[in-house]
Amino acid sequence: MTSHAAMRGPAVFLAQFMGDDAPFDTLSNAARWMGDAGYAGVQIPTWDARCIDLALAADSQDYCDELIGTCREASVEIAELSTHLQGQLVAVHPAYDTMFDGFAPPELRGKPVERQQWAAAQLALAARASRRMGLSAHATFSGALAWPFIYPWPQRPAGLVEEAFAELGRRWTPILNVFDEEGIDLCFELHPGEDLHDGATFERFLAAVGCHRRACILYDPSHFVLQAMDYLAFIDIYHDRIRMFHVKDAELNPTGRSGVYGGYQDWVDRPGRFRSLGDGQVDFGAIFSRLTQYGYGGWAVLEWECCLKHPEDGAREGAPFIAAHMIRRPERAFDDFAGGSDPAANRGLLGLD
């Protein structure tokens, strides 16, 4: 990040809210509800037909303008599009084929090669739709080939992880090239269950795609809390690649019975669990300060995934929470009143004359 553009928001990811009942049964209704709750933007899940027809959006400027207009009538903007489910299908280990088949059209289930090709085509559609909507970044998952081998027992054969990331590079490089052609940053949410789940794995991937300029990060501190990572130092290291931000809270309370791995327990019983904003352990004041320091100019997007609180309550609390943490950068330094510039005086102070 080299610019000092202002962070935008608050925005909200609609994926966890859409359903068959009003007010979350259509994009128009959901956008209006979120606008009334105080949000300025919505992040749209492209797999949900209640929100968008992705193929039509890729090919029709009129349709994209209509979607933009629908949101503006509700006093919100389209912040970004998401292909989390489709991106997951770019790389699926066979152990997960059956479970992830549910993310694909029925006619592709049981056909992993065709499913992967469909997923890549979906990403290309999303790149074109994002460009038509005037967006700059897109959210997705990397998928996973090596995840079953996350713990090094039994001992991993030499070269296994390297080959997994080389294959990820082969699959994602053409997709990244499409996003580059459309002028869109492709932001991977670093997430357990994906091969890209922390800084080390992102670096492996970056090397595999030749440090592609469109390979970027969706920063979500909740996933780093659950891995016991330093989520502030992560910003220091990777701020140049952070182009999106999910504002999501979490807590990790290990016990004598269970820790990071969770013991196969349900979310409500796990030591590590997602929480509504302000109910967990994430230091959002420090995060917003750090992102502002590095000139992050993207959206601050609520992703609600609390296992305790009702989603509408979490959403209503989320907008003012984000708004209260956003920082307006000063137009001049606080000590400008005492400043001045006199080259001759400076030389005198240094004893150079």
Side-chain angles (χ1 to χ4, degrees), residues 169-188:
R170 287 189 283 268
R171 296 186 186 190
W172 278 104
T173 296
I175 298 171
L176 285 162
N177 289 341
V178 172
F179 276 82
D180 194 31
E181 292 168 4
E182 302 294 345
I184 309 295
D185 291 327
L186 184 54
C187 303
F188 295 91

Side-chain angles (χ1 to χ4, degrees), residues 1-5 239-243 293-297:
M1 265 174 278
T2 57
S3 70
H4 292 289
H239 59 87
D240 281 341
R241 293 278 177 172
I242 296 174
R243 295 289 184 272
Q293 172 186 339
Y294 289 116
Y296 174 74

Side-chain angles (χ1 to χ4, degrees), residues 10 12 21 39 46 52 66 69 71 105 119 135 174 179 193-194 205 234 241 268-269 274 304 319 328:
V12 59
D21 299 322
Y39 290 96
T46 63
I52 188 172
E66 179 183 332
C71 289
L135 308 178
F179 276 82
E194 310 300 315
F205 178 75
F234 183 95
R241 293 278 177 172
V268 72
D269 298 316
F274 302 123
W304 177 88
R328 186 160 66 117

Side-chain angles (χ1 to χ4, degrees), residues 85-322:
L85 299 195
Q86 301 99 311
Q88 176 72 67
L89 300 184
V90 171
V92 177
H93 187 280
Y96 298 100
D97 266 339
T98 300
M99 289 183 286
F100 283 138
D101 257 351
F103 293 176
E107 64 271 17
L108 297 181
R109 295 170 188 174
K111 302 176 181 178
V113 174
E114 292 88 341
R115 185 186 62 198
Q116 177 194 332
Q117 294 169 345
W118 173 84
Q122 285 280 294
L123 267 292
L125 294 176
R128 286 158 50 197
S130 294
R131 188 256 304 161
R132 288 189 182 279
M133 293 182 182
L135 308 178
S136 61
H138 180 79
T140 198
F141 277 152
S142 68
L145 300 173
W147 183 253
F149 310 100
I150 186 69
Y151 197 80
W153 183 258
Q155 186 178 21
R156 290 190 291 257
L160 178 71
V161 172
E162 290 75 9
E163 181 56 31
F165 277 86
E167 180 61 26
L168 279 181
R170 287 189 283 268
R171 296 186 186 190
W172 278 104
T173 296
I175 298 171
L176 285 162
N177 289 341
V178 172
F179 276 82
D180 194 31
E181 292 168 4
E182 302 294 345
I184 309 295
D185 291 327
L186 184 54
C187 303
F188 295 91
E189 181 172 358
L190 306 185
H191 187 295
E194 310 300 315
D195 280 344
L196 276 62
H197 56 270
D198 60 10
T201 51
F202 180 74
E203 289 176 16
R204 283 183 181 271
F205 178 75
L206 204 56
V209 296
C211 292
H212 202 292
R213 67 175 182 168
R214 296 298 179 181
C216 295
I217 294 170
L218 189 169
Y219 175 76
D220 183 334
S222 69
H223 301 302
F224 300 151
V225 167
L226 300 193
Q227 296 180 73
M229 285 176 57
D230 186 334
Y231 53 81
L232 296 177
F234 183 95
I235 298 173
D236 292 332
I237 299 168
Y238 301 107
H239 59 87
D240 281 341
R241 293 278 177 172
I242 296 174
R243 295 289 184 272
M244 296 176 69
F245 175 24
H246 269 177
V247 190
K248 189 167 71 175
D249 212 342
E251 61 185 353
L252 178 62
N253 298 305
T255 70
R257 298 180 62 244
S258 184
V260 169
Y261 298 109
Y264 300 110
Q265 297 174 97
D266 292 337
W267 276 111
V268 72
D269 298 316
R270 294 173 66 90
R273 55 190 187 177
F274 302 123
R275 299 297 306 275
S276 285
L277 293 184
D279 295 342
Q281 297 168 346
V282 175
D283 185 348
F284 285 106
I287 288 175
F288 276 79
S289 294
R290 202 70 60 97
L291 289 173
T292 300
Q293 172 186 339
Y294 289 116
Y296 174 74
W299 287 85
V301 181
L302 169 71
E303 184 180 27
W304 177 88
E305 290 185 340
C306 185
C307 60
L308 296 178
K309 186 171 287 183
H310 192 281
E312 293 182 22
D313 295 338
R316 287 193 181 95
E317 295 171 3
F321 184 94
I322 294 173

